[in-house]
Amino acid sequence: MSALSSFLQMIADLIAQVAAHLLSWFAGLFAALWNAIGALVGLILGWILDLIVMVLNLFQDLFFTLLTTLAHLLPQVPQPPQWYVDSLGGFLGTLNVFFPVSEILTVASIWAAVYGAIFLYKGIKFLRGGG
């Protein structure tokens, strides 16, 4: 009986080793599939984000193209004489040595942009009937 029990023990150990190897192989397969699914989800989310950025850029381009088109529909303003432009530029350049003219013009343009955006928002709100 001893030879039979050692043979059965050897068969049981072999079955346990095969089962352990199969379990390890399936665990690696499931880990690889899980990583692949994670990569696919990341790829899809990245594609959706790129699509959203593309659409926002298209709307931005459409908005500025519309503004440019509307600006070209306005009547043409005559150009000031060259001596006026040169003298004004020279005066501002000389004044910029003693006073922060360029910084003041930068702040004024930022204020104009902020108030322009506020005016645009309130104008759209008024046109929609929101008061």
Side-chain angles (χ1 to χ4, degrees):
M1 256 331 212
S2 165
L4 183 62
S5 77
S6 68
F7 177 73
L8 290 177
Q9 182 66 35
M10 185 176 64
I11 295 293
D13 288 341
L14 183 64
I15 290 173
Q17 287 178 357
V18 169
H21 285 295
L22 282 175
L23 186 62
S24 172
W25 185 82
F26 276 113
L29 177 68
F30 288 136
L33 287 176
W34 184 255
N35 289 337
I37 289 171
L40 180 65
V41 168
L43 185 69
I44 291 171
L45 290 177
W47 182 81
I48 289 171
L49 183 64
D50 287 342
L51 183 68
I52 289 171
V53 168
M54 181 190 71
V55 168
L56 289 176
N57 283 334
L58 285 175
F59 279 118
Q60 180 184 3
D61 290 344
L62 175 71
F63 176 71
F64 284 113
T65 303
L66 183 65
L67 283 181
T68 306
T69 305
L70 291 176
H72 283 295
L73 291 177
L74 293 173
Q76 294 295 322
V77 176
Q79 292 291 330
Q82 190 61 36
W83 60 267
Y84 178 76
V85 174
D86 290 341
S87 62
L88 182 64
F91 173 71
L92 289 178
T94 305
L95 192 62
N96 197 26
V97 174
F98 303 105
F99 297 104
V101 174
S102 59
E103 289 83 3
I104 290 172
L105 291 176
T106 302
V107 169
S109 64
I110 291 171
W111 279 348
V114 168
Y115 282 117
I118 291 170
F119 176 74
L120 182 65
Y121 169 73
K122 288 186 177 184
I124 291 172
K125 188 176 173 185
F126 175 76
L127 289 176
R128 290 185 66 203

